[in-house]
Amino acid sequence: MGKNIVQKIFEAHRASGEIKEGSLIGLKVDQVYTQDATGTMAWLEFEAIGIDRVRVPLAVSYVDHNMLQSNFMNADDHLFLQTAAAKFGAYFSKPGNGICHQVHLERFAAPGKIALGTDSHTPTGGGMGMIAIGVGGLEAATVMAGAPFETNMPKVVRINLKGRLQRPWVTAMDVILTLLKMLTVKGGVGKILEYGGEGVKDLNVTERATITNMGAELGATTSIFPSDEKTLSFLKAQGREKDWIELKADADAEYSEIIELDLSAVEPMIAQPHSPDNVVAIKEIAGKKVNQVCIGSCTNSSYHAMKAVASILRGNTIPEWVNLLINPGSKQVYEMLSREGLIADMISAGARILEASCGPCIGMGGAPGSGHVSIRSYNRNFHGRSGTKDAFVYLTNPIACAVMAVKGEIIDPRDAGLKFDEIKEPEKFLINDNLVIPPKADTKDIKIIKGPNIKEVPVKEPFKKSIEAEVLLKLGNNITTDDIMPAGSKVLPFRSNIPAISEFVFENIDRTFSKRAVEAKESGGGIIIGGENYGQGSSREHAAIAPMYLGLQAVIAKSFARIHRANLINFGVLPLLFKSEGDYEKIEQGDRLLIRDVIGSIKGDQNFKVENLTKGYAFEVISNLNDREKELILKGGLLPYVRHRAAG
């Protein structure tokens, strides 16, 4: 029996377990990278483990999220990250070098490798033919310390592409938006999406990376394309031809599911507020006035995409009511556009050029006005993520964004009457790595510098025999990590200070949550009730650490998003599932719940009886922890677990 691409890479990296769907496997990891919004905590966690140097072949610390320096906190964290990278043997990508996923694709990603990143859009690297998985910072820290990456083997789904895109107005962004419309934000949970078929040849590496990047919005573990002549061409242009290997599925490879998609049938698509899967054809909602357009982010900020945008803007002027912001994905892209005069074309049209960073995508500047319509080539449009609670954020391809900026309204780009140049990939990219600091051989005299806002990592106590706690909040379906732990310029500077950032937990849903949680902590802590897909979205582990710090003992939900579930376990918070979803309806905020013999249930059949002391009835919940996860929970989380093993 033949093998698919995922099986081939996993077999080559297997440290333990059987490459069989649902089985617990351990994988050797080639690359780990962090970004500053999550990486500050990740490197604090690595330091707490007590290892003197990273034990993976390549580690990179990027600064790309928290670039607004309105006080000392972000600058201090940047210096901490730079000195920690120097001390522990990692590359450091300085502020201004670009968004981690774009830069990593350009300079480090390689087919056949396995990479972990402390960001949910790490699967961008799948466009290069590598397994790239987003994880929490503590998971990344333990892997950098030499542990294998352990996970349950996901299902592998084949996305069979045929035909060719109706260029130039239909792009790779429309492909993934079409899949989101088909599959929803839960459609990829527990799955790796492997792309194949003749249609793959129609997509270059950065277009493939757009598709794998937004596979995170499907809830997929990761997504991957074959490594072929297009991959080789990209690596040659980056001066990294030596990193290329051919990688494709065997003709008789098997998959858990096969999904057919005809690229020639894909239209220009748009995701409406407030979810990436609320997708329709642009023509269905044409005519709505546009106030703001944002082009870039890790999804659509490649040289190829940005050159197309510049070509559309050249000779045009945006209307007086439109605010156009553009953030190139990397210093490489920015410099090439500048040298070719394309930045001038953008500026002449009326664009505001931002630095090569995540920017408005993470709420770091660029917030739209009250009630405004913002069209973005980004990957997420969750309610309030832009920084403005009542804004209406739409997601579409970068070419359509540029057209809408010129026209001032939502319009199918095919109907706009605009023209632009045919865009080809360069034969050689401009290589200038002067903002990347390589690892140092001698680190004995290097001191890690920590500013006053940087606090130690909190650690949870191991579970006691029973949990008796108050239901602090009852929530609906698809609660995001943005809902749990908001981002933006006000909150993110506290990411290295858990006591301070904890004051913002669930702020956009219930401003009283943090205060009530602190009060409940004195009498057993809290429990949260959730619906389907609890914790979708960003990988930010602060959405687990901060609630844990506030005394959260357990989350009972209908289902969990993969990364957030792992983060809860890593910080000793018990994720529980309703055995009967009807019991969800009976619980109310303020109810006091009792779960007896927690330890016995975790070690045993993972069935738990929950007594609602307030209402006088009982119901059942279950956990689906694998053996390793059981150990983590019982020890109080991954950090005490690793320390215990190191001491043993």
Side-chain angles (χ1 to χ4, degrees):
M1 184 189 301
K3 294 178 180 178
N4 56 49
I5 296 172
V6 175
Q7 289 169 332
K8 289 181 178 184
I9 297 177
F10 278 15
E11 285 286 2
H13 291 79
R14 184 170 66 90
S16 62
E18 184 180 359
I19 310 300
K20 178 183 176 183
E21 187 180 304
S23 296
L24 179 63
I25 54 173
L27 299 168
K28 292 174 285 187
V29 172
D30 302 296
Q31 303 178 354
V32 176
Y33 68 94
T34 66
Q35 42 91 337
D36 50 313
T38 56
T40 313
M41 189 58 60
W43 287 102
L44 285 168
E45 289 158 349
F46 182 84
E47 182 185 38
I49 292 171
I51 303 295
D52 60 356
R53 194 172 180 89
V54 296
R55 295 180 180 176
V56 290
L58 177 89
V60 190
S61 174
Y62 292 94
V63 175
D64 58 6
H65 278 59
N66 296 295
M67 304 278 279
L68 296 182
Q69 295 174 224
S70 58
N71 57 39
F72 66 91
M73 290 189 284
N74 284 341
D76 281 2
D77 281 359
H78 298 170
L79 182 57
F80 163 73
L81 290 169
Q82 183 170 344
T83 54
K87 184 69 174 177
F88 296 128
Y91 285 85
F92 180 70
S93 177
K94 294 180 68 176
N97 195 51
I99 304 171
C100 60
H101 310 303
Q102 177 68 28
V103 176
H104 208 80
L105 192 74
E106 294 167 354
R107 308 307 301 141
F108 297 110
K113 304 284 189 184
I114 292 182
L116 301 184
T118 62
D119 189 285
S120 55
H121 293 109
T122 300
T124 304
M128 179 69 79
M130 72 188 303
I131 294 289
I133 299 175
V135 297
L138 184 51
E139 190 84 64
T142 59
V143 170
M144 287 194 293
F149 172 58
E150 294 184 304
T151 186
N152 289 331
M153 178 68 192
K155 296 178 180 179
V156 182
V157 176
R158 164 93 164 202
I159 309 291
N160 203 44
L161 303 179
K162 64 179 182 179
R164 301 173 66 87
L165 292 175
Q166 297 181 53
R167 300 179 187 273
W169 305 112
V170 179
T171 77
M173 181 71 164
D174 300 299
V175 176
I176 190 62
L177 288 175
T178 299
L179 285 168
L180 276 157
K181 179 179 175 66
M182 292 167 56
L183 304 176
T184 80
V185 291
K186 298 185 292 184
V189 174
K191 301 171 184 177
I192 294 178
L193 307 182
E194 180 177 309
Y195 290 83
E198 286 299 308
V200 166
K201 297 177 183 177
D202 187 47
L203 303 167
N204 65 36
V205 165
T206 55
E207 290 173 323
R208 297 173 187 184
T210 290
I211 293 170
T212 58
N213 172 286
M214 274 198 74
E217 310 320 317
L218 289 162
T221 300
T222 193
S223 305
I224 189 168
F225 275 82
S227 173
D228 54 15
E229 290 299 316
K230 290 284 182 75
T231 319
L232 176 58
S233 295
F234 181 83
L235 284 169
K236 276 184 178 178
Q238 291 286 352
R240 298 200 292 124
E241 183 180 356
K242 62 180 176 54
D243 288 336
W244 184 76
I245 60 168
E246 184 179 27
L247 194 60
K248 61 183 179 180
D250 295 332
D252 57 344
E254 292 189 353
Y255 299 88
S256 64
E257 183 183 354
I258 297 177
I259 297 171
E260 302 285 344
L261 183 62
D262 184 355
L263 295 180
S264 62
V266 174
E267 296 185 81
M269 307 296 281
I270 191 165
Q272 304 175 97
H274 296 285
S275 179
D277 64 356
N278 187 16
V279 175
V280 297
I282 294 176
K283 64 187 180 185
E284 294 181 28
I285 59 168
K288 187 181 291 290
K289 183 180 178 180
V290 169
N291 306 105
Q292 183 194 61
V293 177
C294 298
I295 304 174
S297 89
C298 61
T299 311
N300 285 295
S301 60
S302 66
Y303 171 83
H304 183 267
M306 287 290 168
K307 190 169 184 177
V309 167
S311 181
I312 291 170
L313 293 176
R314 185 183 304 126
N316 289 305
T317 300
I318 63 172
E320 61 186 48
W321 63 86
V322 173
N323 204 348
L324 172 60
L325 297 87
I326 298 176
N327 57 318
S330 68
K331 175 174 172 283
Q332 181 184 84
V333 171
Y334 211 157
E335 188 172 354
M336 289 178 70
L337 295 175
S338 299
R339 291 182 182 278
E340 294 172 30
L342 300 176
I343 294 292
D345 291 332
M346 294 174 174
I347 293 171
S348 178
R352 296 164 58 186
I353 310 301
L354 309 180
E355 57 187 331
S357 67
C358 300
C361 184
I362 194 65
M364 277 287 172
S370 299
H372 280 191
V373 170
S374 178
I375 308 295
R376 302 181 169 205
S377 70
Y378 299 173
N379 43 49
R380 288 184 176 143
N381 60 342
F382 302 144
H383 187 266
R385 179 180 169 91
S386 68
T388 306
K389 289 183 181 179
D390 62 350
F392 299 92
V393 176
Y394 295 75
L395 309 175
T396 192
N397 79 56
I399 291 171
C401 281
V403 170
M404 292 180 200
V406 171
K407 294 296 182 179
E409 64 179 5
I410 294 177
I411 184 171
D412 188 320
R414 298 172 296 187
D415 299 332
L418 297 177
K419 295 181 180 180
F420 71 100
D421 303 334
E422 180 185 357
I423 308 301
K424 294 182 179 179
E425 286 280 86
E427 291 186 8
K428 185 170 180 58
F429 287 95
L430 189 156
I431 310 301
N432 180 358
D433 290 330
N434 61 359
L435 290 186
V436 179
I437 302 173
K440 304 186 187 311
D442 185 2
T443 63
K444 65 178 183 297
D445 294 328
I446 295 173
K447 288 184 170 50
I448 297 174
I449 301 173
K450 297 178 184 177
N453 186 51
I454 298 176
K455 308 298 180 185
E456 297 304 314
V457 183
V459 177
K460 186 178 182 295
E461 292 292 323
F463 271 106
K464 298 176 182 176
K465 289 184 178 180
S466 65
I467 295 173
E468 184 179 338
E470 177 186 341
V471 175
L472 294 173
L473 208 55
K474 182 179 179 181
L475 302 156
N477 296 335
N478 297 320
I479 291 297
T480 71
T481 48
D482 283 80
D483 293 323
I484 303 167
M485 187 72 261
S489 58
K490 183 173 88 169
V491 179
L492 280 178
F494 295 107
R495 65 208 175 278
S496 55
N497 184 338
I498 298 303
I501 205 169
S502 295
E503 295 178 14
F504 298 96
V505 174
F506 284 115
E507 183 186 50
N508 292 332
I509 292 176
D510 182 350
R511 289 182 178 273
T512 70
F513 179 86
S514 179
K515 182 172 182 281
R516 292 190 295 106
V518 170
E519 292 169 353
K521 192 173 182 179
E522 300 301 316
S523 56
I527 291 174
I528 288 171
I529 303 298
E532 296 278 1
N533 203 26
Y534 180 82
Q536 72 154 331
S538 168
S539 68
R540 72 188 65 146
E541 64 183 1
H542 293 77
I545 304 174
M548 177 275 287
Y549 176 81
L550 293 174
L552 185 67
Q553 299 295 319
V555 179
I556 306 175
K558 295 179 182 179
S559 66
F560 290 89
R562 177 188 65 85
I563 300 178
H564 186 63
R565 176 185 176 276
N567 283 339
L568 289 173
I569 293 167
N570 286 342
F571 288 95
V573 178
L574 186 59
L576 297 168
L577 298 164
F578 286 101
K579 203 166 189 179
S580 171
E581 291 189 1
D583 291 319
Y584 166 87
E585 306 296 338
K586 301 176 185 177
I587 304 175
E588 293 180 314
Q589 182 175 314
D591 287 355
R592 191 156 190 83
L593 305 183
L594 172 63
I595 308 174
R596 302 181 192 274
D597 193 20
V598 173
I599 296 172
S601 296
I602 291 172
K603 291 181 176 179
D605 61 6
Q606 299 196 66
N607 283 287
F608 302 76
K609 180 181 177 182
V610 183
E611 298 173 45
N612 190 322
L613 301 178
T614 304
K615 291 194 168 64
Y617 72 93
F619 61 98
E620 292 186 320
V621 297
I622 60 172
S623 60
N624 54 356
L625 307 169
N626 61 38
D627 289 343
R628 175 178 178 267
E629 290 169 340
K630 289 180 183 179
E631 287 190 63
L632 297 185
I633 282 288
L634 292 171
K635 287 287 189 299
L638 183 54
L639 190 54
Y641 170 81
V642 171
R643 285 174 172 169
H644 176 78
R645 293 189 70 174

